Amino acid sequence: MFTPTFRRPSFQRALKLLAATAISTSLATSALAQEVVAGPGAEPECFAPWTPETKYFQYPKKEGPYRIALANGFIGNTWRIQMIKTAKAYAEQPDVKAKLKEFKVVSTGEDLAAQLAAVDNFIASGYDAIVVNAQNPAAFKPVIKRAAKAGIVLVAFDNTLDTDEAINVNVDQKGLGVYWAQWLIDNIPGGGKVLEVRGVEGTSVDRDRHDGIKETLAASGKPWETVEVVGKWDDGTAQKVTADAVAVHKSFVGVTVQGGSTGTVRALMDAGHPFVPVGGETENGFRKLCAAHTGEGLKCASGGTGPAQVAVAIKTAIAALEGQVVPQSIRLPLAKVNDPDFKDGDNFYQDQSDNFFVGNSFPTCGINFSAQEIMGQSETDQ
């Protein structure tokens, strides 16, 4: 697995020193990045406001081409790798490439300080926009202020920021937890012991999905007991922790899994655990298993958000740099399919790798990649 260069301590110290010596000059000469204006905004079918009360931003128009950076955190799972590849594929599209002077990608792992230092370095280096998948939703407040004072567009996606001072692009992550939990409620009449395979600790996505699951089960009035394990949205990790949980607890009446869904189901099969209802993500391998074993007790609800939301975030950053009006918080649609509606060639692909997230398109934004376009890219920093 790729190990990000930012994990080296000496590199982090150099990065922080560079940011500290350069940011003050940048901030002294820049105006605030955005103004709050009246809506509606540009391309409302793509840049849909989260609620009717969502405010709108307009940034000073800049002449392109632009320097845009992607500051990713955790990289150790299929979704993040596909996300990096999708970002690079989007940046290579001719109409997008013509607007970019530079597109920089950095992944800093689970080291929050390194991610913050990377964003500070991009601010100090004068990038026009920074797109971030945040390692922690609440830790970016000082960075948000520095980006705003430097006149830099900051767009967070997937793991977004607990702020209304930067642009957030996301799906309803809590609603996804509600969707999975409701599937269990509808398919397990008497309640019981449920396995919940969580994501990366400390992230907003893990928090929001967990809250949706917990609150929905609690409100059902059924007697639920939940066993939580940390799968990091990764097949290998999820498979191991699921196997461990089955070894300890022997049986579960249902499962929710935020990511690593293929590994979770395989662990149940390897342990000889009876098939039970599962609410999982959109991995192609998971949907293959759901289709193959429908009618045998494996009743699946597969929902999530494709890694292509990074492309929407980049598109949003470019629109903001061009002076267009955009919502502060943008809602993207979820990709969902339930048993028995899994169809080869439609919502999963039998001849494609298990390690691919389907539902990876946002047609209302003109974003729809083939597997070949995405998988032809690398996940390494550039």
Side-chain angles (χ1 to χ4, degrees):
M1 180 62 65
F2 165 68
T3 301
T5 54
F6 274 93
R7 288 177 177 168
R8 298 197 299 267
S10 60
F11 190 90
Q12 290 181 34
R13 286 195 295 270
L15 188 63
K16 292 175 183 177
L17 180 61
L18 174 62
T21 56
I23 285 178
S24 59
T25 301
S26 174
L27 299 189
T29 58
S30 301
L32 289 175
Q34 80 275 1
E35 293 183 2
V36 177
V37 297
E43 298 187 51
E45 69 284 354
C46 175
F47 305 135
W50 195 266
T51 71
E53 290 73 40
T54 296
K55 64 184 180 182
Y56 288 81
F57 285 162
Q58 186 169 31
Y59 293 74
K61 182 178 180 180
K62 288 188 177 182
E63 295 301 322
Y66 306 114
R67 299 174 69 213
I68 296 179
L70 168 58
N72 179 49
F74 184 71
I75 187 66
N77 61 34
T78 302
W79 196 98
R80 291 296 181 102
I81 291 171
Q82 187 174 330
M83 181 271 290
I84 294 292
K85 292 182 176 185
T86 301
K88 292 181 178 181
Y90 185 68
E92 287 297 317
Q93 292 192 336
D95 58 333
V96 178
K97 190 173 184 178
K99 298 180 179 183
L100 298 178
K101 181 178 180 180
E102 180 184 358
F103 181 62
K104 179 74 172 177
V105 176
V106 166
S107 292
T108 53
E110 295 183 72
D111 188 336
L112 175 60
Q115 187 179 37
L116 295 172
V119 175
D120 273 337
N121 184 52
F122 290 136
I123 294 171
S125 300
Y127 278 76
D128 298 301
I130 303 168
V131 176
V132 60
N133 195 331
Q135 193 61 31
N136 182 287
F140 276 72
K141 290 181 181 178
V143 170
I144 293 167
K145 292 183 181 298
R146 288 193 286 271
K149 290 180 180 178
I152 294 170
V153 174
L154 183 65
V155 180
F157 71 99
D158 185 37
N159 286 288
T160 51
L161 303 174
D162 288 345
T163 182
D164 62 358
E165 299 305 319
I167 300 172
N168 283 323
V169 175
N170 209 351
V171 301
D172 184 359
Q173 301 287 2
K174 185 174 182 179
L176 187 56
V178 171
Y179 168 69
W180 291 328
Q182 192 60 52
W183 179 253
L184 299 186
I185 293 166
D186 293 343
N187 287 277
I188 306 170
K193 185 183 291 185
V194 169
L195 177 65
E196 180 187 355
V197 184
R198 298 189 60 169
V200 174
E201 295 175 287
T203 60
S204 65
V205 168
D206 175 69
R207 176 198 66 194
D208 294 348
R209 292 181 178 187
H210 169 70
D211 287 348
I213 294 165
K214 180 177 64 175
E215 292 171 14
T216 304
L217 291 178
S220 71
K222 295 183 179 182
W224 301 103
E225 177 187 351
T226 303
V227 174
E228 297 178 24
V229 294
V230 177
K232 292 192 173 183
W233 306 319
D234 172 65
D235 272 330
T237 306
Q239 186 163 352
K240 182 182 184 305
V241 297
T242 299
D244 292 345
V246 171
V248 172
H249 295 274
K250 307 308 178 185
S251 67
F252 298 96
V253 298
V255 177
T256 64
V257 48
Q258 292 193 22
S261 313
T262 312
T264 291
V265 173
R266 284 181 176 152
L268 295 175
M269 295 171 68
D270 290 345
H273 192 289
F275 284 129
V276 294
V278 177
E281 247 281 0
T282 63
E283 296 100 328
N284 194 48
F286 174 54
R287 291 188 174 185
K288 284 184 190 180
L289 291 170
C290 294
H293 298 285
T294 187
E296 300 175 30
L298 182 60
K299 296 176 68 66
C300 302
S302 173
T305 170
Q309 66 173 282
V310 67
V312 181
I314 297 168
K315 179 182 175 73
T316 304
I318 292 173
L321 289 168
E322 292 176 336
Q324 299 183 51
V325 174
V326 295
Q328 180 273 320
S329 187
I330 294 172
R331 182 191 290 267
L332 298 176
L334 288 166
K336 297 189 289 188
V337 60
N338 302 337
D339 178 86
D341 296 328
F342 295 97
K343 295 182 175 61
D344 185 15
D346 179 16
N347 48 47
F348 78 95
Y349 302 90
Q350 192 64 46
D351 61 347
Q352 294 288 335
S353 166
D354 288 354
N355 297 323
F356 186 80
F357 282 78
V358 290
N360 191 37
S361 65
F362 295 99
T364 56
C365 297
I367 293 169
N368 190 11
F369 295 97
S370 69
Q372 291 76 15
E373 284 180 286
I374 296 170
M375 304 316 285
Q377 303 290 331
S378 73
E379 71 266 25
T380 57
D381 290 356
Q382 67 177 32

